[in-house]
Amino acid sequence: MSGSLIRRFTPFFTARIRQNQRLLSSSSAAVLHHASPSSPSSSFSREPVQMTENCIQRMKELVANESSADEKMLRLSVETGGCSGFQYVFNLDDRINSDDRVFEREGIKLVVDNVSYDFVKGATVDYVEELIRSAFVVTENPSAVGGVVARVHSW
């Protein structure tokens, strides 16, 4: 029985892995050819990543509670892994790298590296509170193919 299941799902998983590899290699190539880190337009984005009011409010609370003098920003990145091949990762960061795109609203900055941007352009970042957790999440993503899992840090 398990042998027949493996034979049935092998083509699906193989196709999914190839699709993920193509997506990663095409986005990396596009970044190398179209965005130079020293270019002033490298942080310009035609399709911004949006932040909801809940996201802005929670970031303001986190920044106010920080004892560090460094400005904290929300960093969104997309990494390989998860059930569908990709996962969103949120971190607090105090540094902007040369290949980052910065989206700002009401003084709150969302930072996305160029490779991850290809997977989240036009997306919306929200902060949700549920009974068992509270976390930053990507609620709408027109760039997502299939599903994407969120790995989040709760603050």
Side-chain angles (χ1 to χ4, degrees), residues 62-96:
L62 291 172
V63 169
N65 291 336
E66 276 294 315
S67 60
S68 169
D70 297 328
E71 178 186 22
K72 293 293 182 186
M73 298 164 278
L74 182 62
R75 178 172 292 279
L76 167 60
S77 57
V78 178
E79 295 180 353
T80 57
C83 14
S84 65
F86 298 102
Q87 61 186 359
Y88 300 120
V89 180
F90 291 92
N91 289 302
L92 287 181
D93 202 346
D94 58 0
R95 181 178 337 173
I96 298 175

Short mmCIF file of all heavy atoms in Angstrom, two decimals, residues 62-96:
data_model
loop_
_atom_site.label_atom_id
_atom_site.label_comp_id
_atom_site.label_asym_id
_atom_site.label_seq_id
_atom_site.Cartn_x
_atom_site.Cartn_y
_atom_site.Cartn_z
N LEU A 62 6.28 47.80 20.08
CA LEU A 62 7.57 47.13 20.22
C LEU A 62 8.73 48.13 20.25
O LEU A 62 9.65 48.00 21.04
CB LEU A 62 7.78 46.12 19.08
CG LEU A 62 6.89 44.89 19.12
CD1 LEU A 62 7.05 44.07 17.85
CD2 LEU A 62 7.20 44.04 20.34
N VAL A 63 8.65 49.12 19.38
CA VAL A 63 9.71 50.15 19.33
C VAL A 63 9.72 50.93 20.64
O VAL A 63 10.79 51.24 21.18
CB VAL A 63 9.51 51.07 18.11
CG1 VAL A 63 10.41 52.29 18.19
CG2 VAL A 63 9.77 50.30 16.82
N ALA A 64 8.54 51.26 21.18
CA ALA A 64 8.46 52.02 22.43
C ALA A 64 9.02 51.22 23.60
O ALA A 64 9.60 51.79 24.53
CB ALA A 64 7.01 52.41 22.71
N ASN A 65 8.88 49.89 23.58
CA ASN A 65 9.36 49.04 24.67
C ASN A 65 10.85 48.70 24.55
O ASN A 65 11.41 48.14 25.48
CB ASN A 65 8.55 47.75 24.72
CG ASN A 65 7.13 47.99 25.16
OD1 ASN A 65 6.83 48.97 25.83
ND2 ASN A 65 6.24 47.09 24.78
N GLU A 66 11.46 49.01 23.41
CA GLU A 66 12.89 48.70 23.21
C GLU A 66 13.75 49.66 24.02
O GLU A 66 13.55 50.86 23.99
CB GLU A 66 13.27 48.82 21.73
CG GLU A 66 12.97 47.61 20.91
CD GLU A 66 13.81 46.39 21.30
OE1 GLU A 66 15.02 46.51 21.50
OE2 GLU A 66 13.22 45.32 21.40
N SER A 67 14.72 49.10 24.72
CA SER A 67 15.64 49.95 25.48
C SER A 67 16.84 50.35 24.64
O SER A 67 17.60 51.23 25.01
CB SER A 67 16.11 49.20 26.74
OG SER A 67 16.76 48.01 26.36
N SER A 68 17.00 49.73 23.49
CA SER A 68 18.12 50.02 22.60
C SER A 68 17.94 51.37 21.92
O SER A 68 16.83 51.78 21.60
CB SER A 68 18.23 48.92 21.54
OG SER A 68 19.12 49.30 20.53
N ALA A 69 19.05 52.05 21.67
CA ALA A 69 19.00 53.33 20.97
C ALA A 69 18.84 53.13 19.47
O ALA A 69 18.48 54.06 18.75
CB ALA A 69 20.27 54.13 21.25
N ASP A 70 19.10 51.91 18.98
CA ASP A 70 18.99 51.63 17.55
C ASP A 70 17.52 51.55 17.14
O ASP A 70 16.68 51.02 17.86
CB ASP A 70 19.67 50.31 17.20
CG ASP A 70 21.16 50.35 17.47
OD1 ASP A 70 21.76 51.43 17.33
OD2 ASP A 70 21.72 49.29 17.82
N GLU A 71 17.25 52.08 15.95
CA GLU A 71 15.90 52.04 15.41
C GLU A 71 15.57 50.60 15.00
O GLU A 71 16.32 49.97 14.28
CB GLU A 71 15.80 52.96 14.19
CG GLU A 71 14.45 52.93 13.53
CD GLU A 71 14.43 53.75 12.24
OE1 GLU A 71 15.49 53.99 11.66
OE2 GLU A 71 13.32 54.11 11.83
N LYS A 72 14.45 50.09 15.45
CA LYS A 72 14.03 48.73 15.10
C LYS A 72 13.06 48.77 13.94
O LYS A 72 12.19 49.62 13.87
CB LYS A 72 13.36 48.03 16.29
CG LYS A 72 14.29 47.75 17.43
CD LYS A 72 15.33 46.74 17.06
CE LYS A 72 16.23 46.42 18.23
NZ LYS A 72 17.32 45.55 17.88
N MET A 73 13.26 47.82 13.01
CA MET A 73 12.41 47.69 11.84
C MET A 73 11.94 46.24 11.76
O MET A 73 12.58 45.35 12.29
CB MET A 73 13.20 48.04 10.58
CG MET A 73 13.71 49.46 10.55
SD MET A 73 14.99 49.68 9.32
CE MET A 73 16.41 49.07 10.21
N LEU A 74 10.82 46.03 11.09
CA LEU A 74 10.32 44.68 10.87
C LEU A 74 10.93 44.16 9.58
O LEU A 74 10.81 44.80 8.53
CB LEU A 74 8.79 44.70 10.76
CG LEU A 74 8.12 43.34 10.58
CD1 LEU A 74 8.39 42.42 11.78
CD2 LEU A 74 6.62 43.53 10.40
N ARG A 75 11.64 43.04 9.65
CA ARG A 75 12.25 42.44 8.47
C ARG A 75 11.41 41.23 8.05
O ARG A 75 11.13 40.36 8.86
CB ARG A 75 13.68 42.00 8.74
CG ARG A 75 14.32 41.32 7.52
CD ARG A 75 15.78 41.07 7.70
NE ARG A 75 16.55 42.30 7.72
CZ ARG A 75 16.92 42.97 6.65
NH1 ARG A 75 16.59 42.54 5.44
NH2 ARG A 75 17.64 44.08 6.76
N LEU A 76 11.01 41.22 6.79
CA LEU A 76 10.28 40.10 6.20
C LEU A 76 11.18 39.45 5.18
O LEU A 76 11.72 40.11 4.30
CB LEU A 76 9.00 40.60 5.53
CG LEU A 76 8.26 39.64 4.60
CD1 LEU A 76 7.83 38.37 5.33
CD2 LEU A 76 7.06 40.33 3.97
N SER A 77 11.35 38.14 5.31
CA SER A 77 12.13 37.41 4.31
C SER A 77 11.40 36.13 3.96
O SER A 77 10.53 35.66 4.71
CB SER A 77 13.54 37.12 4.81
OG SER A 77 13.51 36.41 6.02
N VAL A 78 11.74 35.59 2.81
CA VAL A 78 11.15 34.33 2.35
C VAL A 78 12.29 33.34 2.25
O VAL A 78 13.30 33.61 1.61
CB VAL A 78 10.46 34.50 0.98
CG1 VAL A 78 9.90 33.17 0.50
CG2 VAL A 78 9.36 35.54 1.07
N GLU A 79 12.13 32.20 2.91
CA GLU A 79 13.15 31.17 2.89
C GLU A 79 12.56 29.88 2.34
O GLU A 79 11.36 29.66 2.39
CB GLU A 79 13.66 30.91 4.32
CG GLU A 79 14.38 32.09 4.92
CD GLU A 79 14.88 31.81 6.32
OE1 GLU A 79 14.56 30.73 6.89
OE2 GLU A 79 15.57 32.67 6.87
N THR A 80 13.44 29.04 1.81
CA THR A 80 12.98 27.74 1.35
C THR A 80 12.67 26.90 2.58
O THR A 80 13.28 27.05 3.63
CB THR A 80 14.05 27.03 0.49
OG1 THR A 80 15.24 26.92 1.26
CG2 THR A 80 14.31 27.80 -0.78
N GLY A 81 11.70 26.03 2.43
CA GLY A 81 11.27 25.19 3.55
C GLY A 81 9.77 25.29 3.70
O GLY A 81 9.09 25.95 2.93
N GLY A 82 9.25 24.61 4.70
CA GLY A 82 7.81 24.62 4.90
C GLY A 82 7.14 23.60 4.01
O GLY A 82 7.75 22.96 3.16
N CYS A 83 5.85 23.43 4.18
CA CYS A 83 5.13 22.39 3.44
C CYS A 83 5.02 22.69 1.95
O CYS A 83 4.94 21.78 1.14
CB CYS A 83 3.76 22.13 4.03
SG CYS A 83 3.11 23.30 5.16
N SER A 84 5.01 23.94 1.57
CA SER A 84 4.84 24.26 0.15
C SER A 84 6.14 24.69 -0.52
O SER A 84 6.14 25.10 -1.66
CB SER A 84 3.80 25.35 -0.02
OG SER A 84 4.29 26.54 0.58
N GLY A 85 7.24 24.61 0.20
CA GLY A 85 8.52 24.96 -0.38
C GLY A 85 9.06 26.30 0.06
O GLY A 85 10.25 26.56 -0.05
N PHE A 86 8.22 27.21 0.58
CA PHE A 86 8.65 28.52 1.04
C PHE A 86 7.98 28.85 2.35
O PHE A 86 6.90 28.36 2.66
CB PHE A 86 8.29 29.60 0.02
CG PHE A 86 8.97 29.41 -1.30
CD1 PHE A 86 8.27 28.90 -2.38
CD2 PHE A 86 10.30 29.75 -1.46
CE1 PHE A 86 8.89 28.72 -3.59
CE2 PHE A 86 10.93 29.57 -2.68
CZ PHE A 86 10.23 29.06 -3.74
N GLN A 87 8.63 29.71 3.14
CA GLN A 87 8.03 30.18 4.36
C GLN A 87 8.42 31.63 4.61
O GLN A 87 9.51 32.06 4.25
CB GLN A 87 8.41 29.31 5.55
CG GLN A 87 9.88 29.25 5.85
CD GLN A 87 10.19 28.26 6.94
OE1 GLN A 87 9.28 27.62 7.50
NE2 GLN A 87 11.44 28.10 7.28
N TYR A 88 7.49 32.39 5.19
CA TYR A 88 7.76 33.77 5.56
C TYR A 88 8.45 33.76 6.92
O TYR A 88 8.07 33.01 7.81
CB TYR A 88 6.46 34.57 5.70
CG TYR A 88 5.63 34.63 4.46
CD1 TYR A 88 4.33 34.12 4.45
CD2 TYR A 88 6.12 35.20 3.29
CE1 TYR A 88 3.55 34.19 3.31
CE2 TYR A 88 5.35 35.27 2.15
CZ TYR A 88 4.07 34.76 2.17
OH TYR A 88 3.30 34.83 1.04
N VAL A 89 9.44 34.64 7.08
CA VAL A 89 10.14 34.77 8.34
C VAL A 89 10.13 36.24 8.73
O VAL A 89 10.51 37.09 7.92
CB VAL A 89 11.59 34.25 8.24
CG1 VAL A 89 12.31 34.40 9.56
CG2 VAL A 89 11.62 32.80 7.78
N PHE A 90 9.70 36.54 9.94
CA PHE A 90 9.67 37.90 10.46
C PHE A 90 10.68 38.04 11.58
O PHE A 90 10.75 37.17 12.46
CB PHE A 90 8.28 38.25 11.00
CG PHE A 90 7.23 38.38 9.94
CD1 PHE A 90 6.46 37.28 9.59
CD2 PHE A 90 7.02 39.58 9.30
CE1 PHE A 90 5.49 37.39 8.61
CE2 PHE A 90 6.05 39.71 8.32
CZ PHE A 90 5.28 38.61 7.98
N ASN A 91 11.46 39.12 11.57
CA ASN A 91 12.41 39.42 12.62
C ASN A 91 12.43 40.92 12.86
O ASN A 91 12.12 41.70 11.96
CB ASN A 91 13.83 38.98 12.23
CG ASN A 91 13.97 37.48 12.24
OD1 ASN A 91 13.74 36.84 13.25
ND2 ASN A 91 14.32 36.91 11.11
N LEU A 92 12.84 41.31 14.07
CA LEU A 92 13.12 42.72 14.33
C LEU A 92 14.58 42.95 13.98
O LEU A 92 15.44 42.16 14.36
CB LEU A 92 12.88 43.06 15.80
CG LEU A 92 11.43 43.13 16.24
CD1 LEU A 92 11.35 43.50 17.71
CD2 LEU A 92 10.65 44.12 15.41
N ASP A 93 14.86 44.02 13.26
CA ASP A 93 16.22 44.29 12.81
C ASP A 93 16.52 45.77 13.01
O ASP A 93 15.61 46.60 13.02
CB ASP A 93 16.34 43.91 11.32
CG ASP A 93 17.77 43.66 10.90
OD1 ASP A 93 18.71 44.03 11.64
OD2 ASP A 93 17.97 43.11 9.80
N ASP A 94 17.79 46.09 13.16
CA ASP A 94 18.18 47.49 13.31
C ASP A 94 19.13 47.93 12.19
O ASP A 94 19.73 48.98 12.26
CB ASP A 94 18.83 47.73 14.67
CG ASP A 94 20.05 46.86 14.90
OD1 ASP A 94 20.41 46.06 14.01
OD2 ASP A 94 20.66 46.98 15.98
N ARG A 95 19.22 47.12 11.14
CA ARG A 95 20.16 47.39 10.06
C ARG A 95 19.48 47.26 8.70
O ARG A 95 18.68 46.35 8.49
CB ARG A 95 21.30 46.39 10.18
CG ARG A 95 22.36 46.52 9.18
CD ARG A 95 23.48 45.53 9.39
NE ARG A 95 23.57 45.03 10.75
CZ ARG A 95 24.38 44.08 11.12
NH1 ARG A 95 25.16 43.51 10.26
NH2 ARG A 95 24.42 43.66 12.36
N ILE A 96 19.82 48.15 7.80
CA ILE A 96 19.36 48.07 6.41
C ILE A 96 20.56 47.68 5.56
O ILE A 96 21.58 48.36 5.59
CB ILE A 96 18.78 49.41 5.92
CG1 ILE A 96 17.56 49.78 6.76
CG2 ILE A 96 18.42 49.32 4.45
CD1 ILE A 96 16.98 51.15 6.44
#
